[in-house]
Amino acid sequence: MEIRIDDLTGKEVAQLLQEHHQDMLDHTPAESVHSLDISGLKAPDVTFWSAWIEGELAGCGAIKVIESGHAELKSMRTSSTHLRQGVAQRLLTYIITAAQQQGITKMSLETGTPDSFIPAQKLYRDFGFNECAPFADYCEDPYSLYMTKELG
């Protein structure tokens, strides 16, 4: 698998992000969906990666710097054709290492609470993320689960 910083100009990436956003809307009320659109992912405080297997987009993920040393994991998504093949684990490992190289010592995230988010919740717990209070601009929301991890 090749993981690289992506400029978000490719149609495959745009389609995967649209699929990601639509999936969020299918399981969560719009006011509780916090995925970034392409312009949000192009912000200077965001680093976005795409993962490719034999020329096919396998997944993506990003970090958004919240404050010095603290970043939020954003837009983690595995392509439907690459589910259950270890893409998310490999991508998250890569992103955490890259974040540490950028001086990030704490990573937080927001994910959903409906049953469709259980695989994501399990992935994050397996990586040592623990539940926490809302961070940054988030508020208590029954559709949101907040998690954080000290990167050391």
Side-chain angles (χ1 to χ4, degrees):
M1 183 165 62
E2 177 195 358
I3 300 171
R4 60 180 181 241
I5 291 178
D6 197 293
D7 64 6
L8 295 132
T9 59
K11 74 174 185 176
E12 299 97 335
V13 169
Q15 288 172 339
L16 183 59
L17 290 171
Q18 178 58 39
E19 176 186 315
H20 177 62
H21 186 72
Q22 186 58 54
D23 191 45
M24 301 301 103
L25 291 172
D26 289 347
H27 298 100
T28 309
E31 63 273 10
S32 296
V33 173
H34 303 289
S35 59
L36 295 174
D37 62 12
I38 289 180
S39 64
L41 290 167
K42 287 183 176 182
D45 58 349
V46 176
T47 305
F48 180 87
W49 292 270
S50 58
W52 301 82
I53 297 174
E54 296 179 9
E56 288 185 11
L57 181 60
C60 64
I63 57 170
K64 177 180 181 179
V65 175
I66 299 169
E67 61 189 12
S68 179
H70 188 191
E72 179 181 3
L73 183 66
K74 300 292 292 180
S75 300
M76 278 290 296
R77 184 70 179 196
T78 300
S79 141
S80 58
T81 58
H82 291 88
L83 291 173
R84 289 173 285 290
Q85 297 176 21
V87 171
Q89 292 87 347
R90 291 166 63 192
L91 186 56
L92 186 53
T93 298
Y94 187 94
I95 290 172
I96 289 170
T97 300
Q100 289 173 308
Q101 291 170 350
Q102 292 180 25
I104 301 299
T105 57
K106 181 178 182 179
M107 188 176 293
S108 301
L109 62 91
E110 179 274 338
T111 191
T113 57
D115 287 351
S116 58
F117 291 90
I118 290 173
Q121 294 171 14
K122 181 181 181 327
L123 170 72
Y124 300 135
R125 284 189 180 99
D126 288 350
F127 270 77
F129 285 85
N130 296 300
E131 291 183 33
C132 66
F135 58 92
D137 296 332
Y138 290 108
C139 300
E140 288 291 341
D141 183 332
Y143 290 93
S144 290
L145 175 67
Y146 307 102
M147 303 180 87
T148 195
K149 174 184 175 73
E150 296 293 332
L151 302 184

